[in-house]
Amino acid sequence: MNDVMGLIYTTKDDYSLRELTASRAVAALPVIGRYRIIDFVLSSMVNSGITNVGVIMQRNYHSLMDHLGAGKEWDLHRKKDGLFILPPFQTRENFGIYEGTLDGIKSNISYLRRSKQTYVVLTGTYSVFNTTFDDMLKDHISSGADVTMMYSHLVPERAPDMSSVSQHTYLCLDDEGFVKNIEIGVERPENAPFSMKVAIMKREFLINLVETAQNQGVHDLHKILQTGVENKLAKVRGYEYKGYHKRVDSIQSFYELNMDMLDSKVRNQFFGEHVVYTKVRDEVPARYLSGAVAKNSLVADGCIIEGEVENSVLFRGVHVAKGAKVRNCILMQECSIMENVELENVIFDKSVTVSSGRLVGHSSFPIVIGKGKRL
């Protein structure tokens, strides 16, 4: 894997995630108590031995840059290679706005050209999974394919408010595991596996692909590969991922991801084999005061629990006051729940304060409150 580089395309804000991505990129969205979505794909690359990683950014990337820093937590603060932050910039040819993955790569083609590795692992940031790419690379090389794409048979449900940015893509495979057709933004095809937007190819092939796409006016990687497969110009192979993954492209999928991790079997399987790295914050341990009750919940450091918490995910520094009841909720950093407040099936962004009352949503449609609100 020393001959492999990583390239992560962090998409622009996604309106299907509503308030949660109003001021941050999807890649910077907090999940599971202490992580950001980008932590999982970045950790998967680092655990594979990849030491040259570029992160292509577009909009609302300030919190993402703050989170990544120089890449120290992922051992990517190096004199040679390391973590490269690639924010948008304006030139005569580049307006700083990317319509798709290939636009972002084209604007940063100089980074791709000066890299020395032979192969590229190219990913998006909607999918949460935990793996290494060693076996995928071996399969790619032995098969002789131009591109190998990771897929899963665990197909996510289509959200009614899904935007065009997060359209699902399906791979139709032949008996030998090669892709014979790619279907984009359609109702789920029968028996067709779901593309996780992870691909391995040679670096030079990706450069040529970007130049070809520009000449044809194509912005999306899957669309240019779709044309290549149809015209037999590209040999594309599928590689099955069998572990847990969740594509976070809606409020419902975000809620499900966090709730899934309350299941010890899912959590142990997901985190058991490979370490997931994230930005370290020095906080005191969570405190449970007299009368506090906590059941089947993930409670991060810095929290103060005086009331009742059940089946919930609490991020750093959350305060649940005496008499308050929190059930089936996701409360992000520094939220404050005052005395005798009752919450059920809600998602709070950072620094939300509830001083009184009762707020109850439904598990299939949780209530979402934006950052810094006071209720």
Side-chain angles (χ1 to χ4, degrees):
M1 297 298 292
N2 291 331
D3 203 22
V4 182
M5 63 175 289
L7 195 57
I8 303 173
Y9 177 70
T10 64
T11 52
K12 57 187 177 182
D13 50 316
D14 187 349
Y15 297 111
S16 65
L17 284 160
R18 295 162 37 197
E19 294 89 343
L20 300 183
T21 52
S23 60
R24 63 165 70 92
V26 175
L29 184 60
V31 291
I32 321 177
R34 58 177 303 202
Y35 301 98
R36 306 286 182 121
I37 284 183
I38 197 172
D39 290 339
F40 299 94
V41 63
L42 190 56
S43 297
S44 294
M45 289 181 176
V46 170
N47 289 331
S48 302
I50 296 173
T51 58
N52 177 19
V53 179
V55 181
I56 300 174
M57 301 185 176
Q58 187 164 178
R59 292 189 212 164
N60 294 340
Y61 53 82
H62 297 90
S63 61
L64 183 58
M65 291 183 67
D66 176 69
H67 178 70
L68 294 176
K72 181 179 179 181
E73 282 80 3
W74 298 268
D75 193 27
L76 290 174
H77 57 308
R78 298 166 174 262
K79 292 183 178 179
K80 182 180 178 182
D81 291 333
L83 180 67
F84 294 86
I85 304 297
L86 306 171
F89 59 94
Q90 291 185 336
T91 65
R92 291 181 179 180
E93 297 180 351
N94 176 29
F95 294 99
I97 299 175
Y98 310 141
E99 296 298 326
T101 308
L102 297 177
D103 289 347
I105 298 174
K106 176 61 180 177
S107 296
N108 296 281
I109 199 72
S110 59
Y111 162 70
L112 199 60
R113 292 186 188 277
R114 71 173 179 263
S115 295
K116 304 299 183 183
Q117 289 79 10
T118 302
Y119 297 95
V120 180
V121 175
L122 175 63
T123 77
T125 49
Y126 280 102
S127 290
V128 173
F129 59 90
N130 187 12
T131 187
T132 58
F133 300 108
D134 306 66
D135 292 338
M136 186 177 176
L137 177 65
K138 291 177 183 177
D139 184 81
H140 172 74
I141 295 173
S142 63
S143 69
D146 296 314
V147 182
T148 296
M149 303 176 68
M150 183 180 286
Y151 69 85
S152 173
H153 286 289
L154 297 174
V155 180
E157 293 296 327
R158 177 179 287 275
D161 60 348
M162 185 180 299
S163 68
S164 60
V165 157
S166 55
Q167 287 181 335
H168 291 175
T169 300
Y170 301 91
L171 309 178
C172 301
L173 307 175
D174 62 20
D175 294 337
E176 297 180 355
F178 288 93
V179 177
K180 59 183 181 181
N181 188 25
I182 298 176
E183 300 191 13
I184 304 171
V186 298
E187 292 300 323
R188 187 186 339 179
E190 193 172 340
N191 298 323
F194 168 74
S195 171
M196 294 173 60
K197 305 294 179 73
V198 178
I200 290 182
M201 66 196 81
K202 285 189 174 181
R203 181 173 56 87
E204 291 296 331
F205 182 85
L206 179 57
I207 293 172
N208 294 334
L209 202 64
V210 170
E211 293 174 347
T212 300
Q214 185 183 33
N215 294 333
Q216 297 179 4
V218 179
H219 309 285
D220 183 69
L221 175 68
H222 283 76
K223 289 184 178 179
I224 193 69
L225 291 178
Q226 183 184 51
T227 302
V229 169
E230 289 175 353
N231 298 326
K232 301 188 183 304
L233 299 175
K235 192 177 181 182
V236 182
R237 182 170 176 81
Y239 177 85
E240 184 179 4
Y241 175 72
K242 298 180 180 180
Y244 176 90
H245 83 92
K246 178 70 72 173
R247 180 173 169 83
V248 181
D249 54 12
S250 66
I251 293 296
Q252 183 61 28
S253 59
F254 172 81
Y255 184 78
E256 289 173 356
L257 168 66
N258 287 275
M259 293 296 107
D260 286 349
M261 291 302 157
L262 296 179
D263 186 331
S264 60
K265 292 182 179 178
V266 175
R267 187 171 64 250
N268 293 337
Q269 178 195 25
F270 186 71
F271 288 99
E273 190 171 355
H274 308 293
V275 177
V276 179
Y277 303 97
T278 190
K279 183 176 181 178
V280 176
R281 297 182 185 273
D282 294 326
E283 297 268 5
V284 298
R287 296 170 58 199
Y288 300 87
L289 304 185
S290 177
V293 177
K295 300 178 182 179
N296 192 40
S297 297
L298 296 178
V299 180
D301 44 358
C303 291
I304 300 176
I305 310 300
E306 298 179 82
E308 298 181 17
V309 178
E310 184 176 357
N311 296 329
S312 297
V313 178
L314 274 55
F315 289 66
R316 297 181 176 101
V318 173
H319 180 206
V320 179
K322 187 176 181 180
K325 297 180 180 180
V326 176
R327 296 187 181 92
N328 305 318
C329 296
I330 301 169
L331 308 182
M332 293 189 194
Q333 190 172 331
E334 305 297 338
C335 286
S336 182
I337 313 304
M338 301 299 187
E339 290 186 4
N340 302 318
V341 169
E342 293 189 27
L343 302 177
E344 188 169 355
N345 296 318
V346 303
I347 301 172
F348 285 177
D349 206 329
K350 296 171 61 176
S351 303
V352 172
T353 299
V354 184
S355 57
S356 63
R358 184 170 182 262
L359 195 60
V360 179
H362 192 275
S363 59
S364 61
F365 198 82
I367 295 172
V368 181
I369 304 297
K371 185 185 299 186
K373 301 292 184 181
R374 298 184 65 90
L375 304 176

